[in-house]
């Protein structure tokens, strides 16, 4: 059973940080918590938007599917991240699909409640604009990577960032969790699984990484960085 939303959940949303405790409790009262199985869709591209979401636990990915069936992953979502804010404000359908990569809990903040908060609290609107600006900057970086970098370079950048953010230092190198499949990684870097597999194999042959079933050992972080 999913625990109902509380003020602690509201505090996870960066643009709600200026609200008082009673105001956070009021927001929590209109939130809806749900659980999702691995690979279950949280938000589906093209469907009406009911509000935006906060990932309470687990991991998810945001992606779109082309007419040829090929997927492009925009970003991975971690606990405390929010998603699907845009259609709340432009009143359009969901622009992308969000899929749970593992058992997850997510909290829906209804669109109407969010619009009321924006009208009532200018500081929430200001924080939301900063949030959107950061998201646009991140998407600009993604476009640059896909259009200007090679596939091995994109993979190397992803692994490098993963090592910096989630890596665990060991005598043999930096160990990072392997939380997505090669197909997911291909979608993330704008390629196909066969190319990703070949690129990782070359990195292994060069002694840069060692790919296991649940972890990736980065033996030479400097060499990895030089690839991008």
């Amino acid at each position: 059973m999913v625990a109902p939303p509380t003020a602690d959940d509201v505090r996870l949303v960066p643009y709600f940080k200026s609200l008082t405790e009673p105001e956070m409790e009021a927001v929590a009262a209109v939130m809806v918590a749900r659980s999702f199985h691995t690979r279950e869709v949280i938000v589906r591209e093209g469907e009406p938007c009911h509000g935006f979401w906060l990932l309470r636990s687990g991991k998810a990915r945001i992606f779109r599917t082309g007419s040829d069936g090929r997927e492009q992953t925009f970003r991975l979502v971690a606990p405390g991240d929010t998603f699907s804010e845009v259609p709340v404000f432009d009143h359009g359908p969901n622009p992308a699909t969000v899929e749970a990569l593992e058992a997850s809990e997510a909290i829906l903040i209804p669109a109407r409640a969010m619009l009321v908060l924006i009208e009532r609290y200018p500081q929430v609107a200001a924080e939301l604009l900063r949030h959107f600006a950061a998201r646009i900057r991140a998407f600009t970086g993604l476009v640059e990577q896909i259009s200007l970098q090679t596939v091995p370079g994109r993979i190397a950048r992803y692994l490098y960032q993963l090592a910096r953010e989630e890596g665990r230092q060991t005598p043999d190198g930096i160990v990072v969790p392997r939380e997505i499949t090669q197909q997911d990684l291909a979608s993330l870097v704008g390629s196909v699984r066969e190319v990703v597999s070949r690129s990782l194999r070359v990195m292994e042959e060069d002694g840069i990484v060692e790919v296991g079933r649940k972890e990736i050992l980065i033996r030479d972080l400097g060499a990895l960085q030089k690839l991008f």
Side-chain angles (χ1 to χ4, degrees), residues 52-91:
F52 81 94
W53 293 80
L54 164 71
L55 192 68
R56 175 193 267 173
S57 64
K59 188 176 286 289
R61 70 178 180 121
I62 301 174
F63 69 96
R64 289 192 64 156
T65 305
S67 57
D68 59 354
R70 182 170 163 180
E71 297 175 354
Q72 173 63 58
T73 296
F74 296 129
R75 67 184 177 98
L76 301 180
V77 184
D81 289 342
T82 59
F83 53 90
S84 296
E85 291 99 333
V86 169
V88 170
F89 299 100
D90 70 6
H91 307 294

Side-chain angles (χ1 to χ4, degrees), residues 5-6 12-13 26 41 73 80 94 141 153 159 167 176 188 195 203 214 220:
T6 67
L12 294 174
V13 181
V41 170
T73 296
N94 295 318
L159 292 177
V176 298
L188 188 65
V195 175
M203 290 182 192
K214 295 185 177 181
D220 191 337

Side-chain angles (χ1 to χ4, degrees), residues 155-170:
I155 296 171
R157 179 183 290 274
Y158 168 75
L159 292 177
Y160 181 83
Q161 291 175 339
L162 192 63
R164 297 292 298 271
E165 296 172 4
E166 302 183 32
R168 173 171 52 86
Q169 187 68 54
T170 72

Side-chain angles (χ1 to χ4, degrees), residues 35-55:
S35 61
F36 297 88
H37 300 297
T38 301
R39 297 296 173 178
E40 185 175 357
V41 170
I42 302 173
V43 171
R44 192 176 301 278
E45 177 183 346
E47 291 186 350
C49 169
H50 300 293
F52 81 94
W53 293 80
L54 164 71
L55 192 68

